[in-house]
Amino acid sequence: MDMSVFDLFKIGIGPSSSHTVGPMVAARRFLVECAPLDDVVAVEAALYGSLALTGVGHATDKAVILGLMGETPQDVVPTQVDAMLAAAEAAGQLALLGKHMVPFKAASGLVFHKSESLPEHPNGLRFTLKRADGSSFSKVFYSVGGGFIRAEGEGQELGAEAARAERAARIPYPFDTMEQLLAHGAASGLTIPQMLRANECVKLSSEQLDAGIDRIWRVMHDCIAHGLETPGQLPGGLKVKRRAADLWRMANDVKASASRANDLPHDAMHQVSLYAMAVNEENAAGGRVVTAPTNGAAGIIPAVLRYYAEDCKPSDPVTGVRNFMLTSAAIGMLCKRNASISGAEIGCQGEVGVACAMAAAGLVAALGGSNQQIENAAEIGIEHHLGMTCDPIGGLVQIPCIERNGMGAVKAITAASLALRGDGTHFVSLDEVIETMRQTGADMQDKYKETSLGGLAIHVITVNHAAC
């Protein structure tokens, strides 16, 4: 498996890993690869398929411009984005990679091909630059989910599979399936997080690995905290009210009151759903989030992690969080390798479904479950999201995305609970359910795959228009 925990968990900006983070990275990479830029006189970005259809609602237009300016998802300051873009638009020019000025207006420099897709993935971008001598150069990139990008033909060139196999051979526990990972565990006596740690430590020291994981968790935790204290309305035109802060205040008011008559037995689960919604409200507002494994599903893992750290009362929460993250990453790697984590490719089952599986497996690992119980929890998490469509209303990562994260977090805890109360034996394997997810996504009509051309995206708008 040629992936790292830090490939699955990337610090970035909302509202979408595939439509915001990926395009920003692709735009910057295009210019870096085209250097020097001193004689460039124009640049254009063309968006295709899902990127064109839901790009404005997912801030793809903003992300591409920011990438051309040299910004990166992990370093751009969310609160400064609108001012930066407004200044560039008013000036009618961009500083490519922050240095070389060229004329640029969004209306002409960004082209949306809503009825056309490029062959390798629904999320395609073609960048073109023109030089002073009249020559031009174009290159196609694909944003394949979770902030991952690839250039046209990349990974398909002669020898690519052999190179991947060679890289995998360097790690002590290579795996492309859960069956292989379980076999390594049986032979070595190690747990899944222990094997993932050994693989990561081929490139990093244990201290570097822990520092990186701890940083990811701090960003996740801070994102929850900020979302739980920020009221208001989300951008985009739907006038969606942020609910997590008000609901969190109400929950705490009940706890603080002398009478607890309004307390419900499932209040702990209510809090978990609010953690997840808080993250995805931050994401919808363009705030700082961590892909887990995508932005659209970014709330599930942080919510279950906080539940583990605060409600499960672990004796060693630091180690538990690290084991949680390593185990979650293993599940995400398998889903990306053998199916997809792109809503534009296989629907929301590949985002919320995968995040649920990752969180369920991580929680089982953190609570000391066996490798077989970890696998069982992940399988349950995906199985009960099979067929979930990606049909965001208005092309915005708001409805139904925010609530789906709250529900996904609760499902993850339920899946972990079921797995921990069993011995790890079950009928459907994780490998089988991942393949089922892949096939289901392939059979799913495109209108249900992040195009806003079907499902809730058109039904609700049609109803609203009829009511007007």
Side-chain angles (χ1 to χ4, degrees):
M1 184 70 68
D2 189 26
M3 273 182 268
S4 164
V5 60
F6 302 116
D7 293 326
L8 272 296
F9 299 113
K10 296 187 284 288
I11 297 171
I13 186 173
S16 173
S17 50
S18 60
H19 288 56
T20 312
V21 175
M24 192 186 304
V25 173
R28 187 178 188 279
R29 176 177 158 184
F30 170 70
L31 291 181
V32 168
E33 293 179 354
C34 288
L37 304 174
D38 297 346
D39 62 343
V40 174
V41 296
V43 64
E44 178 186 281
L47 283 62
Y48 296 83
S50 177
L51 288 184
L53 288 162
T54 62
V56 174
H58 285 56
T60 308
D61 50 346
K62 296 180 180 181
V64 167
I65 296 171
L66 288 169
L68 294 174
M69 295 167 69
E71 296 291 339
T72 61
Q74 66 270 24
D75 293 322
V76 67
V77 180
T79 55
Q80 296 178 4
V81 165
D82 287 343
M84 293 167 59
L85 295 173
E89 185 67 12
Q93 55 185 357
L94 286 183
L96 300 184
L97 297 183
K99 299 175 182 178
H100 179 65
M101 303 298 296
V102 297
F104 188 90
K105 282 284 189 179
S108 57
L110 298 175
V111 182
F112 295 80
H113 296 280
K114 295 184 178 181
S115 60
E116 184 180 352
S117 290
L118 297 179
E120 293 183 20
H121 193 277
N123 291 334
L125 308 95
R126 176 179 282 112
F127 297 99
T128 303
L129 61 76
K130 297 179 181 179
R131 300 189 183 274
D133 63 3
S135 65
S136 64
F137 175 73
S138 294
K139 190 166 186 177
V140 170
F141 289 89
Y142 294 94
S143 181
V144 297
F148 290 86
I149 65 166
R150 67 168 184 258
E152 185 175 37
E154 196 169 52
Q156 300 176 10
E157 64 273 13
L158 186 65
E161 187 64 24
R164 191 189 68 79
E166 189 275 329
R167 286 191 297 270
R170 299 183 204 145
I171 62 176
Y173 303 104
F175 65 99
D176 285 330
T177 65
M178 177 54 80
E179 182 180 14
Q180 292 171 352
L181 192 55
L182 290 174
H184 283 310
S188 66
L190 298 178
T191 65
I192 288 174
Q194 287 172 335
M195 289 185 285
L196 264 290
R197 174 172 290 275
N199 286 352
E200 293 286 341
C201 286
V202 168
K203 295 181 179 179
L204 299 171
S205 69
S206 187
E207 292 76 18
Q208 289 173 320
L209 174 61
D210 288 339
I213 292 175
D214 294 347
R215 181 178 179 231
I216 293 293
W217 170 225
R218 282 196 302 272
V219 174
M220 288 179 168
H221 192 278
D222 290 347
C223 186
I224 294 174
H226 194 264
L228 290 177
E229 63 185 22
T230 307
Q233 183 174 290
L234 295 173
L238 290 181
K239 298 182 179 179
V240 174
K241 181 183 178 182
R242 295 178 69 140
R243 292 181 289 164
D246 287 344
L247 291 172
W248 181 247
R249 177 185 53 76
M250 290 167 58
N252 282 285
D253 285 348
V254 170
K255 284 183 179 181
S257 67
S259 171
R260 298 179 61 85
N262 291 327
D263 262 359
L264 296 172
H266 59 265
D267 274 352
M269 291 296 99
H270 175 58
Q271 290 184 5
V272 170
S273 67
L274 293 187
Y275 300 156
M277 290 173 62
V279 170
N280 282 84
E281 288 177 354
E282 285 292 292
N283 178 63
R288 176 74 66 218
V289 296
V290 176
T291 61
T294 67
N295 281 31
I300 295 171
I301 288 172
V304 179
L305 263 172
R306 180 160 167 173
Y307 166 79
Y308 163 74
E310 295 185 3
D311 291 288
C312 295
K313 297 179 174 57
S315 59
D316 186 1
V318 173
T319 299
V321 166
R322 292 168 181 169
N323 287 340
F324 186 119
M325 296 289 280
L326 288 165
T327 303
S328 293
I331 304 304
M333 292 173 190
L334 288 168
C335 292
K336 185 181 186 309
R337 172 83 171 90
N338 298 316
S340 175
I341 57 172
S342 168
E345 192 169 20
I346 64 169
C348 199
Q349 59 176 355
E351 296 201 37
V352 166
V354 171
C356 177
M358 292 169 67
L363 181 57
V364 170
L367 293 174
S370 68
N371 290 347
Q372 288 72 25
Q373 289 171 322
I374 290 170
E375 190 254 0
N376 188 11
E379 184 277 326
I380 295 170
I382 292 178
E383 182 178 330
H384 299 289
H385 287 90
L386 286 174
M388 180 176 278
T389 58
C390 183
D391 48 356
I393 296 175
L396 299 167
V397 193
Q398 297 178 17
I399 304 173
C401 320
I402 294 169
E403 286 184 355
R404 278 187 180 172
N405 276 259
M407 298 300 292
V410 172
K411 281 187 178 182
I413 294 172
T414 302
S417 178
L418 287 170
L420 284 168
R421 283 166 172 76
D423 61 3
T425 58
H426 53 111
F427 195 81
V428 180
S429 73
L430 178 61
D431 291 329
E432 289 169 336
V433 83
I434 290 174
E435 173 58 18
T436 302
M437 178 174 68
R438 186 194 68 77
Q439 292 181 10
T440 302
D443 292 340
M444 190 181 291
Q445 294 182 48
D446 287 345
K447 67 181 182 180
Y448 298 119
K449 294 192 280 190
E450 209 163 359
T451 60
S452 289
L453 295 176
L456 286 174
I458 61 167
H459 176 74
V460 173
I461 290 177
T462 300
V463 170
N464 289 344
H465 284 175
C468 292

